[in-house]
């Protein structure tokens, strides 16, 4: 393909200065999430009609699913991380009418009950990461949440609570896993929970008009490598995704205490199935890049079966550092796609703004990524 023929290279994918936190996109932090402008632009380029279905096999916090819905497309997302699926579900359905009142009732009730007679859960190292009054306030909020019967309301409240857990813990920040002295009280927990709930309410008000369209969204909490074609409810026209890079981000670690507090899953079990998690690349029998490539071949095998004949599969992918060596994940993806009967139809590169933070210092030095679009041979 010549430079001229590339559709992707006609755009500046950096989106410098664009607001990436508009509406529901800002209700919960998530590592390595798409800026919404990327899936939005890919849908603009590749969708032929409103009936085109969008699929994100690594949907994370649901950015591509939300952008699909905004444009009236039904979508399907898969993620191994239960918190990712919780956030995606909440973002892609209407906010229940009773959400605000339930949040306020919980806050009043916890204020009346504090310090209360409920025991904090038996979480690993809880005293290292949470001061006693914080443990007590969180335990009371969770106890109140358990009594919320309407599941969509409960899940939206869980997202509000999850979004504040790192801030009220002793953890330095979302990207720095070290305990520091913080001046946080039980009342701060309630205030932050109240602010997070109000933020969700106003985010949904901003996004109210596109929620009236008939697009549907299915979110599956699965290891993509174990998904069968029959698990995917509709034929897919557009795949839009950003895969987990080998030895880069650690989603299970980033969300470890959120998962513990919400009782979503054992984070160490999520780690086992998380493609790319750093522990898999360390120790006596470390994985290497061929392992990532093989996993991506399995993904493309699935994509071949669930997509329409003229479907496009767009991946946003950067490089990794494995055992001190820089690895071009884009090349690995191209090889995997080729092995599964796809070809590279278009590509472009984008630079990552220099303020992006990561748990992995080696990774944060890498400042560009590729956008690759594959089609079936
Ligand atoms: C780059 S992030 C996706 C972020 C997403 N685009 C967003 O905007 O929030 C990659 C995702 O892959 C998920 N993941 C890792 N291994 C997986 C697996 N085996 N099956 C499904 N999802 C997996 C991680 O949990 C993470 O959410």
């Amino acid at each position: 393909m010549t430079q001229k023929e590339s559709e992707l290279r006609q755009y500046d994918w950096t989106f410098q200065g664009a607001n990436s936190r508009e509406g529901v996109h800002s209700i919960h932090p998530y590592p390595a999430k798409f800026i919404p402008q990327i899936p939005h632009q890919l849908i603009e380029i590749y969708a032929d009609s409103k009936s085109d279905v969008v699929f994100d096999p690594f949907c994370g916090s649901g950015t591509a699913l939300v952008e699909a819905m905004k444009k009236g497309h039904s979508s399907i997302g898969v993620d191994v991380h239960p918190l990712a699926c919780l956030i995606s579900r909440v973002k892609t359905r209407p906010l229940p009418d009773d959400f605000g009142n339930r949040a306020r009732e919980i806050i009043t009730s916890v204020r009346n009950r504090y310090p209360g007679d409920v025991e904090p859960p038996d979480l690993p190292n809880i005293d290292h990461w949470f001061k006693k009054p914080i443990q007590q306030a969180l335990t009371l909020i969770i106890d109140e949440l358990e009594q919320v019967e309407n599941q969509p309301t409960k899940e939206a409240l869980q997202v509000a609570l999850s979004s504040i857990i790192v801030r009220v813990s002793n953890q330095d920040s979302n990207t720095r896993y070290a305990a520091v002295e913080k001046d946080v009280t039980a009342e701060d927990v309630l205030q932050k929970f109240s602010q997070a709930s109000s933020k969700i309410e106003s985010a949904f008000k901003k996004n109210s008009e596109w929620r009236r369209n008939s697009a549907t969204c299915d979110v599956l909490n699965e290891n993509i490598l174990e998904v069968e074609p029959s698990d995917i409810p509709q034929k897919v026209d557009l795949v839009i995704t950003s895969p987990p890079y080998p030895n880069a981000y650690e989603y299970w670690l980033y969300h470890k205490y959120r998962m513990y507090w919400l009782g979503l899953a054992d984070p160490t079990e999520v780690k086992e199935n998380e493609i790319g998690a750093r522990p898999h690349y360390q120790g006596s029998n470390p994985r290497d890049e061929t392992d990532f490539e093989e996993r991506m071949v399995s993904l493309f095998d699935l994509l071949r079966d669930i997509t329409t004949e003229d479907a496009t599969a767009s991946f946003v992918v950067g490089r990794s550092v494995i055992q001190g060596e820089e690895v071009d994940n884009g090349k690995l993806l191209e090889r995997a796609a080729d092995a599964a009967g796809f070809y590279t139809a278009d590509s472009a590169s984008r630079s990552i703004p220099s303020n992006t933070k990561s748990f992995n210092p080696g990774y944060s030095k890498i400042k560009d990524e590729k956008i690759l679009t594959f089609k079936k041979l």
Side-chain angles (χ1 to χ4, degrees):
M1 173 175 302
T2 64
Q3 192 82 8
K4 254 195 171 158
E5 287 166 322
S6 167
E7 205 164 1
L8 290 178
R9 285 196 288 269
Q10 290 174 23
Y11 300 91
D12 175 5
W13 293 91
T14 313
F15 296 105
Q16 196 81 42
N19 178 10
S20 60
R21 299 180 53 76
E22 196 264 329
V24 294
H25 290 303
S26 65
I27 66 172
H28 196 288
Y30 204 87
K33 71 176 168 184
F34 270 142
I35 58 165
Q37 287 78 9
I38 294 179
H40 176 96
Q41 191 64 58
L42 289 168
I43 295 168
E44 283 273 297
I45 296 172
Y46 293 120
D48 294 325
S49 80
K50 283 265 185 281
S51 60
D52 281 3
V53 174
V54 174
F55 177 58
D56 186 345
F58 303 108
C59 68
S61 61
T63 316
L65 311 178
V66 168
E67 288 304 312
M69 287 199 92
K70 276 191 186 175
K71 295 179 84 49
H73 296 281
S74 290
S75 60
I76 306 155
V78 175
D79 205 288
V80 73
H81 209 302
L83 183 65
C85 295
L86 174 75
I87 301 168
S88 292
R89 282 196 299 275
V90 169
K91 282 184 180 174
T92 52
R93 67 183 167 214
L95 188 67
D97 291 340
D98 64 343
F99 172 80
N101 282 341
R102 293 300 274 143
R104 286 181 279 279
E105 279 164 19
I106 288 172
I107 292 162
T108 307
S109 173
V110 171
R111 258 194 202 116
N112 292 336
R113 288 175 66 189
Y114 186 84
D117 52 5
V118 283
E119 278 293 304
D122 185 19
L123 308 183
N125 281 327
I126 188 169
D127 293 335
H128 179 69
W129 293 110
F130 297 87
K131 293 198 175 78
K132 286 278 185 218
I134 309 301
Q135 293 178 25
Q136 210 56 33
L138 289 174
T139 306
L140 286 170
I141 296 177
I142 302 269
D143 191 53
E144 293 286 330
L145 272 177
E146 269 158 21
Q147 292 161 43
V148 177
E149 274 166 18
N150 184 27
Q151 193 65 8
T153 308
K154 182 175 178 173
E155 292 196 342
L157 290 163
Q158 284 179 316
V159 167
L161 182 63
S162 171
S163 74
I164 68 160
I165 283 185
V166 171
R167 275 186 284 142
V168 301
S169 76
N170 298 331
Q171 188 178 325
D172 190 18
S173 71
N174 265 320
T175 46
R176 187 157 184 272
Y177 197 62
V180 293
E181 185 54 36
K182 281 195 209 166
D183 190 17
V184 188
T185 63
E187 181 55 31
D188 292 334
V189 175
L190 291 179
Q191 282 188 14
K192 287 188 195 320
F193 179 63
S194 165
Q195 285 156 5
S197 306
S198 304
K199 186 173 178 179
I200 291 179
E201 272 191 295
S202 53
F204 275 81
K205 274 192 196 121
K206 276 197 193 114
N207 288 151
S208 59
E209 53 334 309
W210 58 264
R211 286 178 185 282
R212 284 197 287 273
N213 72 41
S214 59
T216 60
C217 180
D218 292 285
V219 181
L220 313 180
N221 184 197
E222 300 284 351
N223 175 355
I224 192 68
L225 304 178
E226 287 170 8
V227 168
E228 297 289 336
S230 57
D231 297 330
I232 304 300
Q234 297 179 73
K235 274 280 180 195
V236 168
D237 301 282
L238 269 75
V239 179
I240 297 180
T241 198
S242 171
Y245 310 164
N247 201 31
Y249 288 97
E250 298 214 56
Y251 304 92
W252 71 278
L253 182 61
Y254 189 97
H255 294 310
K256 189 171 168 182
Y257 276 93
R258 296 186 170 108
M259 274 196 277
Y260 275 140
W261 276 106
L262 296 180
L264 289 179
D266 180 346
T268 55
E269 279 170 24
V270 175
K271 173 180 77 180
E272 283 315 306
N273 288 326
E274 192 179 298
I275 299 170
R278 282 165 70 199
H280 302 316
Y281 293 85
Q282 293 158 358
S284 55
N285 190 15
R287 288 183 190 167
D288 60 15
E289 70 239 49
T290 48
D291 173 274
F292 177 75
E293 189 178 323
E294 277 161 25
R295 282 165 206 262
M296 291 301 110
V297 174
S298 308
L299 170 68
F300 278 106
D301 283 339
L302 173 73
L303 296 183
R304 203 186 45 236
D305 290 345
I306 63 168
T307 49
T308 55
E309 273 324 296
D310 56 356
T312 53
S314 300
F315 285 68
V316 180
V317 69
R319 285 167 286 140
S320 295
V321 178
I322 305 178
Q323 313 284 341
E325 297 288 322
E326 207 169 280
V327 175
D328 182 344
N329 297 315
K331 280 217 176 89
L332 301 181
L333 268 182
E334 290 194 81
R335 283 213 296 262
D338 182 57
F342 286 77
Y343 70 96
T344 310
D346 203 352
S347 67
S349 53
R350 70 179 293 266
S351 39
I352 308 169
S354 53
N355 55 358
T356 310
K357 288 190 183 158
S358 165
F359 264 137
N360 183 346
Y363 179 70
S364 55
K365 290 196 190 84
I366 294 172
K367 292 296 173 211
D368 60 83
E369 37 187 34
K370 275 185 190 159
I371 302 165
L372 297 164
T373 295
F374 302 101
K375 285 186 161 193
K376 286 186 191 176
L377 280 166

